[in-house]
Amino acid sequence: NLTTVAELNGDLIEFTSAQYRVEQLGFDGYGLTLSEPSAEGQGTGSFNMNSGELTFADLTVIANSISARARDLKLIYGDTLQVNGDVAYRANVNRVAQWLALSPDADSLFWFGTAEGNVRFASDQSGIGLQTDTNIKDFVAAQQSPVVDQATGPIVQASNPLRQWNALVQDPKLRLFGGIKIGHDFDSIVFENTQLESESLTGSISGTADAISTRMLVDLKGNWKPDWSKINSLVAFYAGETLQFEGESSQSFAIRGPLFETPAPDNNNSIVAQPAAWLPSDVSGTANFGWERGAVLGLPVGKSQFDVSIDQGIATITTDGIPFAGGAIKFAPRVDLRTSQPVAKMDST
C-alpha cells in the first residue's frame, strides 16, 4: 500500500507525506535471503525521470529485523547502482544473521545482540563505499547442544532431541567501525582499516576479497589482540577441549589467494568434481599468536608464541619454546593442508 501527495515539475516528481506498507517482503540474491512479514514507513523526496535519480530528504523503514532512518539519501541506477547519503539504524543481530545464512544448521554458531549505528554511503565508479560506526549491545555467540539427561523429561523422537543454549562468547558492548567498499557486481569487498573493539577481542583488517560467490580470492592483512580467557570456549568450538590459554598480546596476520577450489573442466568442458583440499595450495599467509600461560591436553604450559606460515598447501609452525616442567618444549610441526583432512608431521628440535 502506498499513499502520497505528488507534484510534477517537468522531469521531476516531488512527493511529500508518502506512507507505505509492504506485506511479505522477500528477496533472494547476492548471498542475501531477506524475509520479513511486513515493512512500513514514510518519506519525502523526489524522482528525476530523466536521470533516474531517486532522492529522499527523509525516509523511515520499520520491520521486524531492522528499523532505519535515512537523510539526504540518493539512489541512481544506470549502468551501476550509486548510493549516497546517511542512514541511522537499529537491528536484531540474530535476524540479520539469518538473512546472511550465518547459521546454516543446528550445530552452527548463532549470533545475538542489538546493533545500533550510522552508515555514510559514498559511491564512485569502483563501488559503493560505506563509512560505518556500529555498536552491538549484549553480543553473544552461542551454540546449541543436546540435553544430556532426559530421563525425567518427555519422550522425544531421536531425530528431534532436546537442545540447550551454550554461550561461547559474551560481550556487553562490541564496536565495529571503519570503511568498506562493495563492488557494483556485489561480488567484491574492500576493507579500509575496518576495526573491531570489544572486551574479548580487538583487531583491524585491510585488503580485498574478490570473487566472493566462487573462489573467495583474498588479499588481507591486519592485527588482533584476544583476551584468551574470554574466548577459550570459542576456541574449543573449533579445536576441541585441548587448548586453554590466558593473557593478552597483539598478534598479526596476512593471507593471500583463493579460499575455495574451483572445479576443473575435463576435455569435454564438463565440470569434474575434484577431491577437496582443506585449503587450496595457491594460498599463502603468515600469522602469529601467543599467550601468557595456559594448558595443552590438560598439562600446564608457560608463556610462548607461535609463528605460522603457509606456502603451497603446507603450514609450518615455529616457536621459541614452550615452558614446561622447568624446561622448554621446542618443535616445528608441518601441516599438509592439500587433502580434505589436514595431516601433521612433527619435527622435533
Side-chain angles (χ1 to χ4, degrees):
N1 298 327
L2 173 65
T3 60
T4 187
V5 175
E7 182 178 344
L8 178 61
N9 293 314
D11 292 331
L12 191 67
I13 301 175
E14 297 179 303
F15 52 89
T16 59
S17 304
Q19 297 185 356
Y20 67 91
R21 180 177 177 85
V22 180
E23 302 290 346
Q24 300 301 320
L25 176 64
F27 175 81
D28 190 358
Y30 301 109
L32 179 70
T33 302
L34 173 64
S35 179
E36 290 289 299
S38 64
E40 61 183 350
Q42 57 188 16
T44 299
S46 63
F47 177 66
N48 189 308
M49 293 183 291
N50 183 43
S51 65
E53 179 176 310
L54 179 61
T55 301
F56 294 99
D58 190 36
L59 175 68
T60 60
V61 178
I62 301 174
N64 277 12
S65 302
I66 191 170
S67 59
R69 184 170 189 174
R71 295 184 182 275
D72 298 321
L73 183 67
K74 295 183 179 181
L75 306 175
I76 305 173
Y77 191 81
D79 295 334
T80 59
L81 175 64
Q82 304 280 324
V83 183
N84 297 280
D86 297 304
V87 177
Y89 71 93
R90 178 184 177 94
N92 182 303
V93 171
N94 182 254
R95 291 172 180 162
V96 173
Q98 292 177 27
W99 294 359
L100 301 171
L102 297 183
S103 309
D105 53 57
D107 295 323
S108 301
L109 280 180
F110 289 79
W111 313 90
F112 301 90
T114 301
E116 295 185 51
N118 299 278
V119 179
R120 170 159 289 182
F121 291 92
S123 299
D124 57 26
Q125 293 302 313
S126 63
I128 302 171
L130 300 83
Q131 284 291 328
T132 183
D133 193 345
T134 295
N135 290 293
I136 301 178
K137 297 179 180 179
D138 301 322
F139 173 79
V140 177
Q143 70 170 144
Q144 297 183 82
S145 61
V147 176
V148 176
D149 184 8
Q150 298 183 13
T152 60
I155 297 175
V156 297
Q157 296 180 1
S159 60
N160 187 29
L162 296 176
R163 303 179 73 88
Q164 63 185 7
W165 286 105
N166 298 313
L168 304 185
V169 177
Q170 298 184 76
D171 265 304
K173 182 179 179 180
L174 182 153
R175 184 187 178 203
L176 178 65
F177 60 101
I180 298 173
K181 178 168 284 187
I182 302 172
H184 287 301
D185 59 359
F186 292 90
D187 203 32
S188 64
I189 298 177
V190 178
F191 296 95
E192 300 170 336
N193 195 29
T194 308
Q195 299 184 57
L196 171 70
E197 291 182 351
S198 73
E199 291 183 0
S200 301
L201 177 69
T202 61
S204 66
I205 186 170
S206 298
T208 61
D210 297 308
I212 295 172
S213 60
T214 54
R215 303 187 73 195
M216 186 73 80
L217 185 64
V218 301
D219 187 357
L220 301 170
K221 63 181 180 180
N223 59 75
W224 61 301
K225 183 180 180 181
D227 182 338
W228 288 109
S229 64
K230 296 181 182 298
I231 66 170
N232 273 322
S233 295
L234 183 62
V235 173
F237 177 80
Y238 293 102
E241 301 287 346
T242 58
L243 306 173
Q244 291 284 319
F245 298 128
E246 295 180 30
E248 301 178 45
S249 61
S250 296
Q251 332 279 337
S252 64
F253 67 88
I255 185 168
R256 185 175 187 177
L259 300 186
F260 304 105
E261 295 279 12
T262 299
D266 62 11
N267 293 332
N268 296 320
N269 290 324
S270 298
I271 298 299
V272 178
Q274 302 291 323
W278 196 84
L279 192 68
S281 59
D282 40 358
V283 171
S284 62
T286 59
N288 60 66
F289 64 95
W291 59 87
E292 293 296 323
R293 55 194 166 274
V296 178
L297 297 175
L299 301 176
V301 295
K303 180 178 180 179
S304 188
Q305 176 171 302
F306 280 5
D307 295 304
V308 182
S309 63
I310 300 174
D311 185 43
Q312 297 183 353
I314 303 295
T316 303
I317 304 171
T318 59
T319 177
D320 55 2
I322 302 176
F324 176 73
I329 302 173
K330 294 185 178 181
F331 56 92
R334 291 178 291 118
V335 183
D336 191 339
L337 306 174
R338 294 171 295 184
T339 58
S340 59
Q341 295 295 326
V343 178
K345 180 179 179 180
M346 190 72 70
D347 293 333
S348 299
T349 61

